[in-house]
């Protein structure tokens, strides 16, 4: 069969139609790129970070009122052994975002089932913790007020999940529970084991079944499949091999524990994390799928630090602490989020229904870069467009040790009468003979 060439007026018509179709396709691609009023400023900030070498590249997603208003890839996914362009579907080692994406929601669901109580001593679930003699509660672990040091010793080298948990159980608090904020991976290693023992499932299986799969987070997982390796952003170059970690968790403790731990180990994409953020802004529901109760979402994202502490932490979530750079300068104190050491961060503002996701592999090919300025800039650009006055949080100004002004708020927990008396050193009772009648509710805020 032969096809006659198209000529004359008919050919001209085809050319015009083809040109119009091509222009329509081009315009569709242009308008498919989500933009908002801060897009130009955001592009400038991230591109400057790439140019300066602070990051190899990044994926930024900003959502507002249920819609993604900005989604873009910048720079490179890999620099060594060969340069690769960043893509919006890049999979990142999200590092400590694992704490709030896998561990905290797993604990939250078990609280809903009555299987975990936040005020219980950790020994109710891990009897061997600190030799069975401790005042540390589950809430202390989740807010980083347990007094445990930041991480387990890595030398001499060790291996195995059970070995890591055994070491965590033997850790002693360096300050009394509730006395000081010490950000500690050990807290979440223990919480991951609590999920394991209470649910009967390893943390990775529980989170996948009850959080990731119901939300359609199909590319969020511990131990990503080898077939996904080319889409994974590499992290630091491994001194032992001379090649960057890729598809293997960067955090050494999580790596020693076999890749599954409560503090690190999850890999995810910006699109999957957008689904997760939308569930929190939806008070436990997204796209008709309810994951958690509204009461749980409100409780876990609210301040849960001990009263009168200057650091505000939710249950897993950060609110106002030395790690709050992703809040920027404009989001209010009803917002919350978290960071990851590899260069990841997520911040959610329920007041304006806005979330900011910044994913980068700033530890590639070498760690040691300060990502906080970029995190803060990105958040402030988004907040300038969408944030609303945070009238629900009483605020006052404090100054950090570096002389930097920041806004903070007193913890809005109500003290018991016993707490007030303790603060006053029982002044009203001095010199009196006391008869005391009480019951099981006669406790202070620390359960004493």
């Amino acid at each position: 069969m032969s096809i006659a060439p198209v000529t004359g007026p008919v050919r001209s018509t085809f050319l015009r139609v083809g040109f119009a179709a091509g222009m329509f396709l081009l315009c569709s691609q242009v308008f498919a790129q989500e933009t908002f009023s801060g897009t130009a400023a955001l592009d400038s900030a991230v591109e400057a970070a790439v140019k300066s070498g602070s990051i190899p590249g990044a994926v930024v997603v900003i959502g507002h009122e249920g819609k993604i208003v900005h989604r873009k890839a910048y720079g490179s996914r890999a620099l060594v052994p060969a340069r690769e362009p960043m893509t919006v579907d890049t999979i990142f080692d999200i590092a400590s975002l694992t704490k709030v994406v896998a561990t905290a929601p797993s604990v939250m669901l078990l609280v809903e089932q009555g299987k975990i109580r936040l005020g219980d001593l950790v020994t109710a679930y891990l009897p061997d913790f600190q030799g069975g003699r401790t005042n540390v509660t589950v809430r202390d672990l989740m807010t980083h007020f347990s007094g445990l040091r930041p991480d387990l010793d890595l030398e001499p080298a060790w291996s195995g999940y059970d070995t890591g948990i055994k070491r965590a159980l033997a850790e002693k608090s360096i300050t009394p529970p509730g006395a000081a904020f010490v950000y500690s991976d050990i807290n979440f290693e223990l919480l991951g084991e609590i999920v394991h023992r209470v649910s009967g499932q390893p943390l990775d299986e529980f989170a996948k079944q009850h959080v990731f799969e119901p939300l359609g987070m199909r590319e969020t997982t511990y131990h990503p499949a080898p077939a996904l390796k080319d889409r994974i952003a590499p992290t630091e170059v491994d001194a032992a091999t001379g090649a960057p970690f890729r598809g293997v968790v960067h955090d050494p403790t999580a790596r020693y524990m076999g890749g599954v731990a409560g503090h690190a180990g999850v890999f995810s994409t910006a699109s999957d994390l957008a689904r997760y953020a939308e569930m929190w802004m939806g008070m436990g529901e997204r796209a008709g799928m309810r994951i958690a109760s509204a009461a749980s979402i409100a409780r876990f994202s609210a301040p849960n630090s001990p009263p009168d502490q200057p650091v505000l932490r939710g249950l897993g979530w950060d609110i106002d602490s030395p790690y709050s750079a992703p809040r920027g300068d404009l989001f209010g104190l009803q917002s919350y989020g978290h960071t990851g050491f590899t260069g990841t961060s997520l911040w959610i503002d329920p007041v304006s229904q806005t979330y900011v996701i910044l994913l980068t592999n700033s530890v590639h090919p070498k760690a040691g870069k300060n990502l906080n300025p970029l995190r803060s800039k990105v958040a402030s650009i988004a907040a300038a467009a969408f944030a609303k006055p945070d009238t629900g949080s009483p605020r006052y100004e404090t100054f950090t040790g570096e002389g930097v002004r920041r806004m903070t708020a007193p913890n809005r927990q109500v003290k018991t009468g016993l707490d007030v008396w303790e603060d006053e050193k029982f002044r009203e009772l001095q010199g009196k003979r006391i008869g005391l009648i009480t019951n099981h509710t006669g406790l202070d805020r620390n359960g004493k």
Side-chain angles (χ1 to χ4, degrees):
M1 183 176 74
S2 62
I3 300 176
V6 178
T7 60
V10 177
R11 182 175 184 271
S12 298
T13 300
F14 269 98
L15 286 173
R16 287 195 297 271
V17 171
F19 178 78
M23 287 301 295
F24 176 80
L25 178 60
L26 177 61
C27 290
S28 296
Q29 291 172 339
V30 170
F31 287 109
Q33 172 65 52
E34 300 92 346
T35 61
F36 72 111
S37 62
T39 289
L42 191 56
D43 289 347
S44 177
V46 180
E47 287 165 2
V50 173
K51 186 176 181 180
S52 71
S54 296
I55 58 173
V59 176
V60 179
V61 169
I62 296 175
H64 176 62
E65 294 183 343
K67 296 180 181 179
I68 291 178
V69 298
H70 183 97
R71 173 168 37 199
K72 191 171 181 179
Y74 303 83
S76 301
R77 177 159 63 205
L79 299 179
V80 296
R83 188 179 294 271
E84 301 172 24
M86 185 68 77
T87 59
V88 293
D89 65 346
T90 295
I91 300 168
F92 291 84
D93 175 347
I94 65 171
S96 282
L97 283 186
T98 297
K99 293 179 173 73
V100 293
V101 172
T103 310
S106 296
V107 172
M108 180 172 67
L109 294 177
L110 291 168
V111 168
E112 286 191 355
Q113 296 171 21
K115 295 180 179 179
I116 294 177
R117 295 177 68 244
L118 297 170
D120 279 351
L121 296 179
V122 175
T123 49
Y125 310 99
L126 305 176
D128 295 338
F129 177 55
Q130 296 187 343
R133 296 178 297 277
T134 181
N135 291 324
V136 177
T137 66
V138 174
R139 181 182 288 104
D140 292 331
L141 296 182
M142 298 202 74
T143 57
H144 297 285
F145 278 89
S146 67
L148 293 172
R149 62 194 179 118
D151 205 354
L152 301 175
D153 291 330
L154 298 174
E155 295 180 358
W158 50 271
S159 65
Y161 178 85
D162 290 341
T163 300
I165 294 302
K166 183 178 179 179
R167 287 170 170 255
L169 291 171
E171 283 288 320
K172 302 298 183 184
S173 297
I174 57 178
T175 61
F181 171 75
V182 180
Y183 182 83
S184 171
D185 286 345
I186 301 172
N187 290 327
F188 276 76
E189 291 153 13
L190 292 168
L191 287 166
E193 178 62 7
I194 289 175
V195 171
H196 181 194
R197 296 194 189 185
V198 169
S199 71
Q201 292 180 282
L203 175 62
D204 57 334
E205 293 181 10
F206 186 92
K208 179 180 179 180
Q209 180 180 342
H210 298 281
V211 182
F212 305 156
E213 287 184 344
L215 283 172
M217 297 168 67
R218 295 182 179 86
E219 295 182 318
T220 300
T221 184
Y222 288 89
H223 292 307
L228 298 173
K229 184 175 180 179
D230 289 345
R231 282 176 49 207
I232 297 174
T235 54
E236 196 169 4
V237 171
D238 180 7
T241 65
F245 293 110
R246 194 163 194 172
V248 176
V249 61
H250 174 266
D251 181 86
T253 305
R255 202 162 60 244
Y256 283 13
M257 292 176 70
V260 176
H263 72 289
V266 170
F267 290 73
S268 189
T269 63
S271 294
D272 272 8
L273 292 177
R275 290 171 175 266
Y276 186 68
E278 288 166 5
M279 182 272 288
W280 280 85
M281 289 200 310
M283 299 304 290
E285 183 177 354
R286 181 193 179 274
M289 173 63 69
R290 178 158 292 282
I291 303 298
S293 72
S296 296
I297 297 294
R299 178 64 167 170
F300 272 63
S301 60
N304 277 267
S305 306
D308 302 322
Q309 286 287 344
V311 168
L312 289 182
R313 300 288 300 198
L315 294 170
W317 294 103
D318 184 20
I319 298 172
D320 188 42
S321 80
Y323 300 90
S324 300
R327 196 182 76 225
D329 295 316
L330 301 178
F331 279 129
L333 286 166
Q334 289 181 339
S335 65
Y336 53 93
H338 212 280
T339 62
F341 182 80
T342 51
T344 58
S345 60
L346 165 64
W347 205 266
I348 299 169
D349 179 34
V351 176
S352 65
Q353 286 287 290
T354 304
Y355 60 85
V356 179
I357 297 168
L358 171 62
L359 300 182
T360 180
N361 50 336
S362 60
V363 295
H364 176 73
K366 184 179 179 181
K369 308 174 190 80
N370 180 11
L371 199 58
N372 285 342
L374 178 61
R375 286 168 168 156
S376 183
K377 289 176 185 177
V378 170
S380 293
I381 291 168
F386 303 119
K388 299 176 181 178
D390 188 1
T391 57
S393 297
R395 290 169 284 184
Y396 59 90
E397 294 183 359
T398 62
F399 291 81
T400 67
E402 299 174 349
V404 179
R405 190 181 78 168
R406 65 186 176 96
M407 301 300 291
T408 186
N411 193 316
R412 296 179 294 281
Q413 295 185 26
V414 178
K415 293 184 178 181
T416 68
L418 181 54
D419 291 321
V420 173
W421 275 6
E422 285 181 331
D423 291 345
E424 296 176 349
K425 301 186 184 304
F426 296 91
R427 183 179 62 247
E428 301 238 356
L429 304 182
Q430 295 299 319
K432 295 183 173 65
R433 298 178 64 187
I434 304 299
L436 175 65
I437 300 176
T438 187
N439 61 11
H440 67 283
T441 63
L443 305 172
D444 70 4
R445 64 179 177 268
N446 294 317
K448 294 187 293 184

